[in-house]
Amino acid sequence: MRSFELENRRYVIGGAAVLIIIVYIIRLFTLQIMSDDYKKNADSNAFLKKIDYPARGVISDRNGRLLVYNQPAYDIMVVMNEAKGHTDTLGLCAALGITREEFDRRMEAIKDRSRNPGYSRFTRQLFMAQLSDEDFSVFQEQMYRFPGFYVQRRSIRQYNYACAAHVLGDVAEVSQRDIDEDEYYQPGDYIGKLGVERSYERVLRGEKGVQILLRDVHGRIQGSYMNGKFDRRPVAGKNLTLSIDYQLQALGERLMEGKIGSIVAIEPSTGEVLCMVSTPSYDPRIMVGRQRSKNHLELSRDPWRPLLNRSIMGQYPPGSTFKTTQGLTFLSEGIISPTTPYGCSHGFYFKGLHVGCHGHAAPLAIVPALSTSCNAFFCWGLYHMIGNKRKYGTVQKAMNIWRDYMVSMGFGYKLGIDLPGEKRGLIPNAEFYDHAYKGSWNGLTIISISIGQGEVNATPLQIANLGATIANRGYFYVPHVVRKVEGEPLDTLFTRKHYTMADREAYDYVVAGMRASVLGGTCRALSAYDFNACGKTGTAQNRGHDHSVFMGFAPMDHPKIAVAVYVENGGWGADYGVPIGGLMMEQYIKGKLSEASMKKAEEFQHRRISYGTTIR
């Protein structure tokens, strides 16, 4: 019995020994074959890989005016293994203008793997970013006193003008998410955060270069490894030419001072965005350098949301500008003819429902209905379309056909502009109303959508695109803010025509109505110009004061510019939308404002709208 127990014990001990040996073999295999951690550490002792950052592509406006360029800056890097116990800490703090507490905080942050997962004491880590030339000069003179600390030369963005912040965007240090999504980046790198800096990051950033330097046992640089055989030169980023006209953009921002809203102008023949104004805005020049984080935090906490690009993110009722889409749909579907008259007795009255309207002659057909912006006309048109069971069978089918027309005109979905953050707006369909009204609804239930109210929402970009589509008599190009990428063709997304469902002949009547609006209707203030403008006002209802809206284009027959103006709480479309739209048209078509227009521009620049304490 005792012999049997000893025999078993021998097997147990032997098995344990074999297991331990197997574990050691697996661990050695992992360390030496599967993992390159030790090799990296050994290489870090022998080699120093110095990143050469490429120059970021510059950005110009459509006329070659330089908007964004690069300026030298310097980062202080540290190799922990070399700096430990060898650095004159107080002298370093004095040279960099920081306190000892800040020094300790920065060093701890570098070693914190939750914030810096790529940390290694053998490789360069970012200690301080974006020193100016002056600060760098002070530090460079004393750098020999601080073993383990190095200077990394790079460039930072500079913005020539205090405008177009939402289009241009800005550049900031990468987040951990950026690093995880793209292996190109490492801690301390910079990436476009907003605007074209973000959407064109891959062409603007270029390609990093690298120098492999040889070190001795004391860590001192001995020169290039193998005379630079394995070095790689940086490749500069590509330059961008924007479609933005700087002078038009600057005028738009002046006109919108003290107001909340947007101006978007598009060249109909190309889809190029000529200006994109969103207010309140900010000076892009405050978003560079070591103060960027502080300034960005202040902007993000501002209750008026200056970081929000209302041109593509603001979702508003389009108001009476939307009546043009209704006229196009009713004509194309045969609901009305060009001469079909509808009555208006200060509004639409039917079965106890009343939608008000201002006084004008009646009955009237499509052209004068657009000119006078008659609510009743378009209410009757929608009522007869949704209720036409002989043609459509059900209200659901009629509703979805209506929806399809709106989508074909660029509403309800993102247009696809080359800027981040675009919103889609809202165009309801039959399913939407079936859910809202438990399947029991008709044309009267949803009558307000016929005049751009109710559930319909659109961005200022979509309203401007509607103007461009009407100017083109039935098609549009996807709006875009980049006109040219250096050495590359423009993406075909921006060069294809998108045709709407509406008939070509229907556009002729809508254009005639918009021209009549200028000659004697709600846009008559535009008749003072000699470039045959076409326009449509909107007064979008709001819980507070109504929004002032305008959509138009000029000239009528060979359009060069389509404009949308949206001024929150601006009242009637003719109060703010029309005069601002006219000034924008004149600036672009004529190249400058007349003396009378300059006085008008100054007046609107200083005209403020009181928003009280309302937070948007």
Side-chain angles (χ1 to χ4, degrees), residues 43-176:
D43 285 348
S44 296
N45 286 327
F47 304 111
L48 176 64
K49 291 184 178 180
K50 181 182 178 184
I51 300 297
D52 285 340
Y53 288 92
R56 196 170 175 88
V58 302
I59 303 175
S60 304
D61 85 336
R62 67 187 295 111
N63 299 311
R65 186 188 294 260
L66 187 63
L67 302 178
V68 186
Y69 62 98
N70 302 307
Q71 188 161 305
Y74 305 89
D75 293 344
I76 304 300
M77 314 295 290
V78 60
V79 178
M80 292 295 201
N81 197 52
E82 299 175 18
K84 187 177 181 181
H86 303 292
T87 298
D88 176 5
T89 304
L90 294 179
L92 178 70
C93 292
L96 293 175
I98 61 175
T99 63
R100 174 60 191 262
E101 290 72 21
E102 187 175 351
F103 172 88
D104 292 337
R105 189 165 57 250
R106 288 176 181 270
M107 296 296 271
E108 288 304 315
I110 290 171
K111 291 184 284 187
D112 184 352
R113 292 185 182 274
S114 65
R115 297 163 62 184
N116 185 17
Y119 169 70
S120 168
R121 62 192 179 93
F122 297 98
T123 60
R124 291 189 177 195
Q125 305 291 317
L126 178 65
F127 178 78
M128 181 179 287
Q130 298 187 4
L131 265 69
S132 65
D133 283 334
E134 182 180 347
D135 292 338
F136 166 67
S137 298
V138 173
F139 178 75
Q140 186 180 37
E141 292 177 358
Q142 305 178 54
M143 195 167 63
Y144 69 93
R145 298 168 50 200
F146 315 125
F149 284 84
Y150 300 90
V151 171
Q152 175 72 64
R153 189 182 188 278
R154 66 163 78 227
S155 60
I156 59 173
R157 294 305 243 180
Q158 290 293 333
Y159 300 86
N160 256 337
Y161 307 101
C163 79
H166 294 102
V167 175
L168 298 173
D170 68 302
V171 174
E173 191 172 340
V174 291
S175 65
Q176 187 57 47

Side-chain angles (χ1 to χ4, degrees), residues 8 26 43-44 116 138 188 198 206 249 300 326 336 347 385 416 449 500 551 578 613:
N8 280 347
I26 292 172
D43 285 348
S44 296
N116 185 17
V138 173
R198 181 69 178 185
Q249 180 77 24
S300 66
Q326 305 308 287
I336 63 172
M385 178 175 178
I449 66 174
T500 76
M551 179 270 293
V578 173
T613 57

Side-chain angles (χ1 to χ4, degrees), residues 468-484:
T469 305
I470 297 172
N472 289 333
R473 276 61 166 182
Y475 67 88
F476 66 89
Y477 296 93
V478 171
H480 49 284
V481 297
V482 171
R483 192 182 197 192
K484 181 182 178 183

Side-chain angles (χ1 to χ4, degrees), residues 70-299:
N70 302 307
Q71 188 161 305
Y74 305 89
D75 293 344
I76 304 300
M77 314 295 290
V78 60
V79 178
M80 292 295 201
N81 197 52
E82 299 175 18
K84 187 177 181 181
H86 303 292
T87 298
D88 176 5
T89 304
L90 294 179
L92 178 70
C93 292
L96 293 175
I98 61 175
T99 63
R100 174 60 191 262
E101 290 72 21
E102 187 175 351
F103 172 88
D104 292 337
R105 189 165 57 250
R106 288 176 181 270
M107 296 296 271
E108 288 304 315
I110 290 171
K111 291 184 284 187
D112 184 352
R113 292 185 182 274
S114 65
R115 297 163 62 184
N116 185 17
Y119 169 70
S120 168
R121 62 192 179 93
F122 297 98
T123 60
R124 291 189 177 195
Q125 305 291 317
L126 178 65
F127 178 78
M128 181 179 287
Q130 298 187 4
L131 265 69
S132 65
D133 283 334
E134 182 180 347
D135 292 338
F136 166 67
S137 298
V138 173
F139 178 75
Q140 186 180 37
E141 292 177 358
Q142 305 178 54
M143 195 167 63
Y144 69 93
R145 298 168 50 200
F146 315 125
F149 284 84
Y150 300 90
V151 171
Q152 175 72 64
R153 189 182 188 278
R154 66 163 78 227
S155 60
I156 59 173
R157 294 305 243 180
Q158 290 293 333
Y159 300 86
N160 256 337
Y161 307 101
C163 79
H166 294 102
V167 175
L168 298 173
D170 68 302
V171 174
E173 191 172 340
V174 291
S175 65
Q176 187 57 47
R177 180 178 179 181
D178 295 324
I179 296 170
D180 293 340
E181 291 178 350
D182 192 335
E183 62 183 12
Y184 174 89
Y185 301 104
Q186 59 187 29
D189 282 357
Y190 291 85
I191 189 172
K193 289 292 185 180
L194 296 169
V196 295
E197 294 277 22
R198 181 69 178 185
S199 52
Y200 285 85
E201 166 67 15
R202 289 184 178 274
V203 297
L204 284 168
R205 73 188 185 188
E207 297 177 20
K208 295 176 187 172
V210 64
Q211 295 181 52
I212 303 177
L213 305 175
L214 194 62
R215 299 198 282 198
D216 63 18
V217 292
H218 300 291
R220 294 173 299 203
I221 303 299
Q222 299 299 301
S224 296
Y225 175 62
M226 294 187 68
N227 294 319
K229 179 180 179 181
F230 297 101
D231 292 355
R232 186 173 66 250
R233 294 179 63 82
V235 178
K238 296 180 178 180
N239 300 330
L240 297 184
T241 301
L242 301 187
S243 58
I244 299 295
D245 181 309
Y246 165 75
Q247 291 185 317
L248 189 66
Q249 180 77 24
L251 173 62
E253 295 195 13
R254 279 179 53 210
L255 295 173
M256 290 295 288
E257 286 182 17
K259 309 165 189 70
I260 296 175
S262 170
I263 304 173
V264 179
I266 297 174
E267 183 178 65
S269 61
T270 62
E272 294 175 359
V273 176
L274 302 172
C275 83
M276 180 176 285
V277 175
S278 174
T279 54
S281 186
Y282 59 94
D283 186 341
R285 295 173 294 187
I286 69 171
M287 300 293 274
V288 299
R290 290 158 63 182
Q291 295 300 310
R292 181 202 180 271
S293 296
K294 173 177 172 290
N295 293 332
H296 184 273
L297 182 62
E298 289 180 359
L299 290 171

Side-chain angles (χ1 to χ4, degrees), residues 363-410:
L364 68 181
I366 180 66
V367 171
L370 285 169
S371 172
T372 59
S373 198
C374 174
N375 284 341
F377 184 94
F378 297 97
C379 289
W380 281 116
L382 184 75
Y383 175 75
H384 288 144
M385 178 175 178
I386 299 301
N388 193 334
K389 293 189 177 180
R390 179 176 296 180
K391 182 176 179 68
Y392 302 111
T394 65
V395 294
Q396 285 82 3
K397 183 177 180 182
M399 183 69 215
N400 284 339
I401 289 176
W402 178 91
R403 182 274 321 270
D404 290 344
Y405 270 90
M406 301 306 108
V407 170
S408 78
M409 296 178 198

